[in-house]
Amino acid sequence: DVKVTQSSRYLVKRTGEKVFLECVQDMDHENMFWYRQDPGLGLRLIYFSYDVKMKEKGDIPEGYSVSREKKERFSLILESASTNQTSMYLCASSNGGAQLLPEAFFGQGTRLTVV
Amino acid sequence: KQEVTQIPAALSVPEGENLVLNCSFTDSAIYNLQWFRQDPGKGLTSLLLIQSSQREQTSGRLNASLDKSSGRSTLYIAASQPGDSATYLCAVRGRNSGGSNYKLTFGKGTLLTVNP
C-alpha cells in the first residue's frame, strides 16, 4: 500500500516562528503536493513538485515556501507564521508522466495552530 | 479556471438507504476524477478513480459514474451504514498550464450522516 506520512498530527506555534511541515512517501512518486483545508473554502493547493528540486506555485503560495531535496520528501515552510495560517495541512503524492493518469494518495494531515 | 461543485453540502439518511452524491465541474477537459472520503480531523482516503475514457467504476457498495461531456459525476452508495458517515470529496485532474504536471481541483465536499 502507498503510504504518505506527515511528521506531525498536531502543531502549535507562535506568531513569527519559522515552521517546517514534513511529508514522506514510500512509493517513488514523482509528484507531491501541499494543500490546506479550511471550513467553507475546501482544499486549496499551496505548492506542488513534479521532480526533485522542482516546484510550482499552486493557488495560494503567499507566505509559504517548499523544499524537495529528495524524491521521497516534500517540506512546506512557513517563513514567519501568522494566525491566518492556522489550518489543516494535507500532503499528497501521485505517480507522474504525461501518459499516466495518476491516482493521488494523501497523508493523515497536520492540524497547525498559530497563536 | 476549473471549478468543482458538490451538491448537497450535507445529507442525512437512515441506515439502509441507497443514496447519490453529486459532483459537477466546469471544464470538461479532464484526465480523471477521483472520489475521496474524509473522516473528521483526518486525511483523505481514495475511494474510486475514474479515467476520462471510462463511464463508471465500482468498489463494493460504491459506484461512481462520469459524464465528461456534461461535466458531471455521481457517487452511488448502496445500503448505507452508520460507518459510511464522513465527508465525501470529489476532485478532478486537469492539465496544469505549465506543462505535464497534474493538478487536482477539489469540491467542498458533502457531509454524509447515516443514522442507525
Side-chain angles (χ1 to χ4, degrees):
Chain A
D1 278 354
V2 173
K3 188 173 250 186
V4 180
T5 303
Q6 295 181 228
S7 54
S8 304
R9 286 294 311 278
Y10 301 95
L11 275 179
V12 180
K13 296 293 181 180
R14 295 193 180 278
T15 300
E17 274 193 75
K18 190 169 186 176
V19 181
F20 293 85
L21 303 184
E22 306 285 349
C23 176
V24 177
Q25 51 92 5
D26 65 359
M27 282 301 290
D28 202 35
H29 283 171
E30 284 83 0
N31 300 329
M32 295 188 75
F33 307 83
W34 275 106
Y35 290 84
R36 65 177 282 178
Q37 185 178 31
D38 301 286
L41 296 176
L43 274 87
R44 294 178 291 168
L45 181 64
I46 304 171
Y47 266 98
F48 65 101
S49 168
Y50 51 90
D51 202 351
V52 175
K53 297 191 187 294
M54 306 302 288
K55 61 185 179 184
E56 286 201 25
K57 293 179 180 179
D59 299 318
I60 50 163
E62 297 78 17
Y64 303 94
S65 62
V66 290
S67 173
R68 187 136 181 233
E69 295 297 318
K70 294 184 178 181
K71 192 175 186 180
E72 67 270 19
R73 185 180 297 271
F74 192 35
S75 303
L76 179 69
I77 304 157
L78 286 65
E79 297 291 342
S80 177
S82 64
T83 55
N84 64 12
Q85 293 178 310
T86 292
S87 186
M88 169 72 99
Y89 289 86
L90 292 161
C91 174
S93 75
S94 71
N95 218 336
Q99 300 307 315
L100 295 175
L101 300 173
E103 183 174 2
F105 298 88
F106 278 78
Q108 77 277 27
T110 297
R111 171 73 65 185
L112 172 66
T113 302
V114 183
V115 298
Chain B
K1 182 183 174 184
Q2 178 75 269
E3 292 184 4
V4 180
T5 304
Q6 290 186 247
I7 294 173
L11 180 64
S12 181
V13 300
E15 182 176 4
E17 271 204 11
N18 303 324
L19 59 99
V20 175
L21 307 180
N22 296 293
C23 172
S24 62
F25 46 96
T26 53
D27 184 353
S28 61
I30 66 169
Y31 287 104
N32 60 30
L33 182 145
Q34 198 166 352
W35 281 95
F36 294 89
R37 169 189 173 132
Q38 186 178 30
D39 293 294
K42 301 284 181 65
L44 277 64
T45 300
S46 180
L47 297 173
L48 288 164
L49 174 73
I50 310 179
Q51 312 292 8
S52 61
S53 57
Q54 296 177 320
R55 298 284 293 183
E56 64 179 275
Q57 279 286 345
T58 298
S59 176
R61 294 183 294 109
L62 305 180
N63 176 277
S65 69
L66 174 64
D67 184 343
K68 201 171 71 162
S69 61
S70 68
R72 294 180 188 277
S73 176
T74 62
L75 179 67
Y76 174 83
I77 302 177
S80 59
Q81 303 170 358
D84 295 330
S85 298
T87 297
Y88 290 81
L89 295 148
C90 77
V92 297
R93 186 180 303 279
R95 191 174 186 88
N96 180 46
S97 59
S100 63
N101 305 303
Y102 294 87
K103 176 181 165 180
L104 279 175
T105 302
F106 282 84
K108 294 181 181 178
T110 295
L111 176 61
L112 173 65
T113 303
V114 181
N115 301 302

